[in-house]
Amino acid sequence: MTQRTPSGLFISFEGIDGAGKSTHIAAVADWFRARGRRVTLTREPGGTPLAEKLRELLLHDAMDPLSEALLMFAARRDHVLQVIQPALARGEVLLCDRFTDATFAYQGYGRGFDLQVLGQLEQWVQQQPGQDRLLEPERCFWFDLPPAIAAARLVGARQPDKFEAEAEPFFQRVASGYAARAAQSPQRFARIDASQSLEQVREQVLRHCEQFWGPA
C-alpha cells in the first residue's frame, strides 16, 4: 500500500524586534521532526540568493516607504517561487521567520504606508495559480511584547539595523499593526505572551503545537 504524502504546512513567526521569536523556531522544527515531518527553515526578507541581497538593502539603506515596500515584495516573490511553494508541494513543514504580516505591521503601520497599496501588492505576489485565494501561513505565532521591554532586550545585543534603531513610538505603531492583523484573522494567529521567561514562552509555543497538530 502506498503511503500518503502529508500535506505541506506553512507556519510563520512574527513580532517586533526583541520579542524573541527567532529563538523558538528551532524548538518547533524539532517538535515536527520528532513526529517524522521534513522541515524547511527560512526567513524574510531573504531565503533565496536574490532575496538575501535585497535584505541587505532593506535593513541598511535609506529609502522612501514605497521603495521599501516594493523591494520587500520583490524579495517575497522570489522566495515564494523558489522556496515556499516547492517545499509545500513536497509536503514539508515550512517555518518562516516573518512573512507578509510583518510588511503590514512595519511598512503599513510603522511607516504609515498605504494599506490598500500593500494589499494590492499582496494580491499580485501571493495569488495562488488557478485558485481564488492567497498563499499565506496556516498559522502565525505572534510573539506579543511591550515595545519598552523589547527595547531593553536589544540594548547592547548587536549593532542595530535601521529598523532596530527606530525609536519606541515606531515599535508602538508596529505592535498595533500586529494586533490589527490578528483581529482581522483570529483563526490564523496564536498569540504568545513574550514577556515571560524563555522557558515559559517555549512552553506556550509547544502547547499550541500540540493543540493544533496533535499531542506529543
Side-chain angles (χ1 to χ4, degrees), residues 141-157:
F141 285 101
W142 168 36
F143 291 78
D144 188 16
L145 184 70
I149 298 177
R153 289 181 179 178
L154 286 173
V155 171

Side-chain angles (χ1 to χ4, degrees), residues 12-209:
S12 63
F13 296 74
E14 297 281 5
I16 63 174
D17 294 279
K21 61 183 172 48
S22 302
T23 304
H24 300 282
I25 294 178
V28 176
D30 289 342
W31 189 91
F32 278 104
R33 290 184 182 121
R35 285 152 182 79
R37 296 298 299 268
R38 292 182 61 187
V39 177
T40 291
L41 296 168
T42 191
R43 68 176 182 177
E44 287 209 352
T48 70
L50 172 60
E52 290 292 335
K53 292 176 184 177
L54 295 177
R55 177 187 179 89
E56 288 303 306
L57 297 176
L58 285 161
L59 296 189
H60 302 293
D61 289 22
M63 61 188 73
D64 75 290
L66 175 57
S67 297
E68 196 171 271
L70 290 171
L71 281 182
M72 195 69 72
F73 275 103
R76 180 163 299 129
R77 179 63 177 173
D78 194 58
H79 191 211
V80 165
L81 294 177
Q82 302 298 328
V83 175
I84 296 177
Q85 287 181 334
L88 297 177
R90 293 190 299 265
E92 296 178 10
V93 176
L94 186 130
L95 306 181
C96 192
D97 188 344
R98 300 197 189 284
F99 196 63
T100 307
D101 292 308
T103 305
F104 278 86
Y106 276 80
Q107 279 70 48
Y109 286 81
R111 298 281 193 234
F113 188 66
D114 192 322
L115 296 178
Q116 289 188 329
V117 174
L118 292 181
Q120 183 62 68
L121 291 170
E122 181 184 35
Q123 291 282 334
W124 288 342
V125 168
Q126 295 163 232
Q127 187 67 49
Q128 294 279 69
Q131 299 182 41
D132 188 26
R133 67 184 184 90
L134 298 179
L135 174 69
E136 62 180 4
E138 177 179 313
R139 188 69 56 180
C140 171
F141 285 101
W142 168 36
F143 291 78
D144 188 16
L145 184 70
I149 298 177
R153 289 181 179 178
L154 286 173
V155 171
R158 60 180 178 271
Q159 183 66 29
D161 61 42
K162 76 177 187 185
F163 292 101
E164 294 168 338
E166 289 283 354
E168 189 175 320
F170 173 81
F171 289 107
Q172 293 282 3
R173 296 192 298 274
V174 173
S176 70
Y178 277 123
R181 293 286 285 181
Q184 292 165 7
S185 303
Q187 75 285 353
R188 269 201 315 115
F189 277 76
R191 179 186 173 274
I192 305 296
D193 180 358
S195 67
Q196 297 184 356
S197 70
L198 181 68
E199 293 76 16
Q200 289 172 320
V201 172
R202 183 159 301 178
E203 286 177 6
Q204 291 180 67
V205 171
L206 295 181
R207 188 164 58 246
H208 279 294
C209 287

